[in-house]
Amino acid sequence: MASKSEVLGSRTTRLTDLTATIAALPRWSILLFAAIAVRALTFGNPVVHVDEEFYFVTAQQMLHGAVPFVDVWDRKPVGLFLIYLLPAAFGVPAGIWVYQAMALAAVVGTALLIARLAEKAGWGSGSLVSALLYLFMINFADGQGGQAPVFYNLLMAWAFLLVVPRPGDESGDRRRIHRGTLAMLIVGVAMQVKYSVVFEAMFLGLWLMWREIKLGTSMAHVIRRGCLWASAVWLPTFIAWATFILIGHGDAWFYANFGSIVDRLSDPPAVLLRAFLKIALILGVLLIVSGLSRHVPVKDESEHPVRALLFGWLIAAVIGLLVFGSWFNHYALPVLVPASLCCAGYLGGTAFGRKWLAPAMLLAACFGGEYTAWSAKWHRGNADQLEALADGIGHGSGCMYIYSGNAILYSYTQRCALTPWIFPSHLSRERENGALGVDQLEEINRIFAQRPEIVVMRPTYFGERMAAHRLAVQRMAAMGYRLRGRWPLGDLLISVYELPAARNAAPPRLASSKPS
């Protein structure tokens, strides 16, 4: 019979062999497997997050001729809806799988770039850990689906990789200058996915100019190149604006993209404090470990400017998070890229980091993030529940008004909408009052004047404008709506009301069509 020492030695050998086998695998395969493992829970679920539902529905409307910011209103840049055009073309439920596959590819690609950036900074021993940390941590911040940062984080990581300082950099190197221009153009594309990257864009542009000065470039050339890079970063936005001007909707584009952001009200202080504390919990440990990485010595002097760039990126991302406010969970997603990246120094460059802290952080991030994704699914619902709700609503030709609930029901029932404000909380949330380009109550009255056949309403929620809620209830009572039924969706019961005498209302006129 084998002794305890022999059994222990055999197990240790097998564990060592397994570790060596995993380490020998291509990095992309490890990251892909890890990403699938922690995201599989959400595959095929159309109600991962209300934002993604709306992006999908908007893209479907665009495929049918709707003009963003006119026929379907939101303040997100048009690039985000363009990303969803391909999935929307597949309809539901196939399109749900397509956008989630695209999101999977984006997070794996971002993780690969994080690992590569870590190597450039001399943190190669912690590169894989930082990449895995990103994959696991995004579930804490509602990144298990297709939120905007899931896609543009890939662009930002690519842009920063392009401009990483090299030992042989010279002021007159045209290839280096062109890489900077391409990087700023990529950041400009990211801005057309979401404007929140503007602070990272500002930092990168200023860093590129500072780098020119360090390389001995004359001030005239620094200014000239700075103008080139500023033009590159704003070019996609100017193209988008020019396009809407050409089709006669320049004012609508400008208000939705910029004016409405200024007009939007703030949440109450108690709500902001709670949201900020949640963000702080998500990012706190990563920011502390990132700070510890600053004390990890370099192996080569050429690593100093690389690390300065990456730490500057992290600071810029945190400033952007703080300035934009609101602090929904997914606002942490842009910070997670440089934060996970900068953890690589301490987690791979110190004995304590390698032996104790890295495994502990990975395990906590993996299982904690998975629990967070599971909890979100329990609270928000799943595909079976949504399909049952859609069947309860029915697939008739009459139009539908989702006063509060899930915009994806427009896709699953194929019913027409009667308003450009199809993101439900736009017309019912207090903080949106006065920031839509239309009066909320007047628009609700206009919708009911068109006699929607179906009205969908969830229970009242915190932050709801009760005047809007009362108006909707009063209009339904006055017009004879009756409750068709209530269906569970996550931890809510969604009420469906029908108008028995509803006529078959025609779809709303699109702004791109001729007046009737």
Side-chain angles (χ1 to χ4, degrees):
M1 183 175 181
S3 65
K4 288 185 178 180
S5 60
E6 291 174 334
V7 172
L8 182 60
S10 175
R11 290 177 178 174
T12 303
T13 301
R14 288 199 297 269
L15 182 59
T16 302
D17 292 342
L18 177 61
T19 303
T21 300
I22 294 174
L25 292 172
R27 180 185 289 164
W28 67 265
S29 64
I30 298 173
L31 296 177
L32 177 60
F33 175 81
I36 291 174
V38 297
R39 299 172 73 84
L41 179 70
T42 63
F43 290 166
N45 185 11
V47 286
V48 174
H49 196 283
V50 291
D51 289 351
E52 300 162 32
E53 299 175 36
F54 174 70
Y55 306 152
F56 188 93
V57 172
T58 300
Q60 277 197 317
Q61 298 282 342
M62 289 171 64
L63 291 173
H64 290 93
V67 178
F69 318 118
V70 179
D71 304 314
V72 183
W73 193 93
D74 196 49
R75 55 177 59 91
K76 301 292 191 307
V78 70
L80 180 55
F81 305 122
L82 295 179
I83 290 173
Y84 273 81
L85 281 181
L86 176 63
F90 286 85
V92 292
I96 304 300
W97 288 85
V98 173
Y99 96 73
Q100 290 169 355
M102 291 167 58
L104 172 68
V107 297
V108 172
T110 305
L112 285 168
L113 294 177
I114 288 173
R116 185 66 181 134
L117 283 163
E119 291 173 342
K120 294 284 188 180
W123 298 330
S125 55
S127 60
L128 181 59
V129 172
S130 64
L132 288 170
L133 202 55
Y134 173 74
L135 291 179
F136 297 160
M137 284 298 300
I138 57 177
N139 279 8
F140 282 103
D142 272 326
Q144 68 269 31
Q147 280 285 359
V150 166
F151 296 105
Y152 74 66
N153 280 351
L154 175 63
L155 298 173
M156 295 304 294
W158 181 20
F160 275 85
L161 182 61
L162 283 171
V163 300
V164 164
R166 304 179 184 185
D169 281 347
E170 297 178 356
S171 173
D173 186 349
R174 289 188 174 275
R175 288 178 297 179
R176 183 186 60 81
I177 298 168
H178 292 333
R179 285 197 302 271
T181 305
L182 177 59
M184 294 304 284
L185 182 60
I186 291 169
V187 173
V189 173
M191 283 178 57
Q192 274 305 298
V193 179
K194 197 170 183 181
Y195 290 114
S196 55
V197 302
V198 67
F199 289 93
E200 296 164 73
M202 290 168 59
F203 163 74
L204 186 56
L206 291 172
W207 180 87
L208 285 169
M209 296 177 69
W210 174 84
R211 179 68 174 164
E212 292 301 310
I213 295 172
K214 295 289 288 186
L215 292 174
T217 307
S218 68
M219 191 54 62
H221 280 84
V222 171
I223 294 173
R224 188 179 296 116
R225 292 170 189 176
C227 291
L228 171 64
W229 293 325
S231 299
V233 79
W234 283 107
L235 180 61
T237 299
F238 287 140
I239 290 174
W241 190 12
T243 301
F244 278 86
I245 290 174
L246 288 174
I247 63 175
H249 299 300
D251 290 344
W253 178 91
F254 190 86
Y255 180 76
N257 282 253
F258 299 107
S260 67
I261 296 174
V262 177
D263 289 342
R264 186 168 56 179
L265 302 174
S266 176
D267 284 316
V271 175
L272 291 176
L273 177 61
R274 183 176 61 182
F276 178 80
L277 291 176
K278 288 177 70 176
I279 288 284
L281 284 173
I282 293 171
L283 296 174
V285 174
L286 296 182
L287 295 179
I288 292 171
V289 177
S290 293
L292 294 174
S293 293
R294 288 185 59 84
H295 303 289
V296 176
V298 297
K299 298 175 183 178
D300 188 279
E301 287 301 312
S302 64
E303 294 169 357
H304 271 304
V306 180
R307 295 185 184 186
L309 170 64
L310 300 183
F311 285 122
W313 178 15
L314 174 58
I315 293 169
V318 171
I319 291 173
L321 170 67
L322 295 175
V323 170
F324 267 94
S326 297
W327 302 312
F328 295 111
N329 286 359
H330 57 271
Y331 283 23
L333 288 172
V335 184
L336 285 175
V337 180
S340 300
L341 168 58
C342 290
C343 285
Y346 188 80
L347 296 180
T350 65
F352 178 77
R354 287 191 300 269
K355 187 176 182 180
W356 299 105
L357 190 55
M361 289 182 66
L362 287 176
L363 286 173
C366 179
F367 290 105
E370 191 69 1
Y371 172 77
T372 303
W374 174 86
S375 176
K377 184 175 182 179
W378 187 86
H379 284 288
R380 296 168 185 169
N382 56 52
D384 291 339
Q385 290 177 328
L386 185 79
E387 288 170 359
L389 174 57
D391 289 341
I393 292 172
H395 297 75
S397 58
C399 292
M400 176 170 64
Y401 172 39
I402 302 177
Y403 166 82
S404 58
N406 299 75
I408 197 69
L409 286 169
Y410 286 115
S411 297
Y412 272 78
T413 63
Q414 299 180 351
R415 288 181 179 266
C416 54
L418 296 171
T419 175
W421 289 269
I422 62 175
F423 189 77
S425 66
H426 278 160
L427 295 179
S428 62
R429 187 178 288 274
E430 184 69 50
R431 70 189 297 250
E432 296 289 355
N433 184 22
L436 303 173
V438 68
D439 182 85
Q440 288 175 317
L441 302 184
E442 288 182 4
E443 183 63 16
I444 291 173
N445 274 321
R446 193 189 70 81
I447 292 168
F448 277 105
Q450 298 176 80
R451 300 176 61 82
E453 184 175 303
I454 297 291
V455 176
V456 177
M457 183 177 288
R458 56 159 286 174
T460 56
Y461 60 91
F462 187 81
E464 184 173 3
R465 186 183 179 190
M466 297 315 298
H469 182 89
R470 286 193 297 270
L471 177 60
V473 171
Q474 290 168 0
R475 291 301 304 265
M476 284 194 293
M479 296 172 68
Y481 281 87
R482 66 185 183 191
L483 180 67
R484 176 179 287 186
R486 292 189 174 95
W487 283 264
L489 188 61
D491 60 354
L492 298 176
L493 283 176
I494 307 298
S495 301
V496 177
Y497 298 90
E498 63 179 352
L499 183 62
R503 58 182 175 83
N504 290 336
R509 178 182 66 82
L510 300 180
S512 55
S513 63
K514 295 181 179 180
S516 56

